[in-house]
Amino acid sequence: SIGFSYGSYNTKGAEAALSYKDEKLTAQVLASYLDTDGFSSLAPRDAEEDRYTNKNINLKLGYAFDANNKLNLSYNVIKTETEFDDTFSLAQADDDYSHATSDQSNIALDYLFTLDNYTAAFHASKGEYDRDYYTTGFFGDGHNVYKATLKEYALINGYDYTNGKAVFGLEYKDIDGFNQYNTFPESQSDYTNEAVYLSNIYDINENTLLETNLRYDGYNEFDNKTTYKIGV
């Protein structure tokens, strides 16, 4: 499939998708493009325009070994360019310099196992994020850099029983990031998060559900925390 669009503020869009599926294999390629001249978020409305561009590519591949075992792989890339009006600009509405770029990618692997009333899902992913902000203000032009690598792993177990469903999950996140302004030293923002949680939904009767959730998060840089929720 392929599609094109055009609208106000010289907004142009295009998207294309190619898909395949048989008894075991599924594959899909998605691509999209969006560009708009935009308008200023500040009065007067005839101030300089703030443009935005977005490019996106998404690849998906799935394979069913049998009725109980499935594997999914996905890869996504998003690139953006944004113009904005800096808060500290001497002439905010006419700020034609301040802009930002964003480049991010993510690859993920998911494995799903089912057997009767039991399901198990394993998830592993890695994301790369690179954002640059170019600003102007009282003290001249500035350049902010934000970069991060995010690794995530999760194992989710679910069991359906006569009157409800119970879920037990384990999660691990590793964030390696930093930000820097102009030539000042880098500011690190690294931390890890380990979590375990238990959730249960119980059918009291055909009109009433009881939901209970309990979660514990452990951090290497922050205070550990236990949270809960009960709902009817």
Side-chain angles (χ1 to χ4, degrees):
S1 64
I2 188 169
F4 300 95
S5 61
Y6 183 82
S8 301
Y9 308 106
N10 194 29
T11 301
K12 303 176 290 293
E15 57 184 26
L18 180 64
S19 304
Y20 172 82
K21 178 178 174 60
D22 60 27
E23 293 182 357
K24 291 185 174 294
L25 180 67
T26 58
Q28 189 176 57
V29 180
L30 303 171
S32 65
Y33 173 81
L34 175 68
D35 180 80
T36 179
D37 289 347
F39 55 86
S40 177
S41 61
L42 300 173
R45 284 299 186 187
D46 59 357
E48 61 87 27
E49 300 164 339
D50 291 320
R51 190 180 187 126
Y52 175 73
T53 303
N54 183 301
K55 302 174 183 177
N56 184 12
I57 296 178
N58 197 337
L59 309 176
K60 296 180 180 180
L61 186 65
Y63 188 80
F65 297 94
D66 52 42
N68 304 106
N69 297 271
K70 296 181 181 179
L71 189 67
N72 294 312
L73 179 66
S74 64
Y75 179 69
N76 182 249
V77 176
I78 301 175
K79 297 179 181 291
T80 67
E81 297 178 8
T82 308
E83 296 179 356
F84 60 95
D85 299 313
D86 189 86
T87 305
F88 299 101
S89 173
L90 296 176
Q92 293 185 40
D94 294 317
D95 177 7
D96 60 356
Y97 173 77
S98 297
H99 61 285
T101 61
S102 174
D103 190 347
Q104 65 184 64
S105 63
N106 183 272
I107 185 170
L109 178 69
D110 292 276
Y111 171 73
L112 179 64
F113 172 77
T114 60
L115 181 62
D116 298 329
N117 296 341
Y118 172 74
T119 61
F122 173 75
H123 170 82
S125 65
K126 179 181 179 181
E128 299 280 354
Y129 305 89
D130 186 351
R131 298 172 183 171
D132 293 77
Y133 294 86
Y134 300 87
T135 59
T136 185
F138 297 115
F139 303 104
D141 296 339
H143 180 203
N144 291 272
V145 179
Y146 300 90
K147 293 186 178 181
T149 299
L150 170 60
K151 298 178 183 178
E152 293 185 87
Y153 305 93
L155 177 61
I156 304 173
N157 301 272
Y159 182 76
D160 290 291
Y161 56 94
T162 304
N163 286 17
K165 181 175 183 177
V167 176
F168 174 73
L170 300 169
E171 291 181 357
Y172 176 80
K173 295 181 182 180
D174 184 349
I175 294 88
D176 181 8
F178 77 89
N179 63 77
Q180 184 178 23
Y181 177 74
N182 286 353
T183 58
F184 288 93
E186 296 179 1
S187 175
Q188 292 296 125
S189 54
D190 305 336
Y191 70 92
T192 59
N193 172 211
E194 299 172 339
V196 56
Y197 60 89
L198 181 63
S199 176
N200 187 74
I201 296 179
Y202 182 76
D203 300 330
I204 298 176
N205 56 51
E206 61 180 8
N207 299 315
T208 308
L209 299 176
L210 173 65
E211 180 183 0
T212 55
N213 299 277
L214 180 65
R215 180 183 174 102
Y216 175 80
D217 284 276
Y219 300 93
N220 67 330
E221 294 290 343
F222 313 106
D223 293 336
N224 300 334
K225 187 68 176 179
T226 299
T227 52
Y228 66 91
K229 182 177 75 172
I230 302 174
V232 175

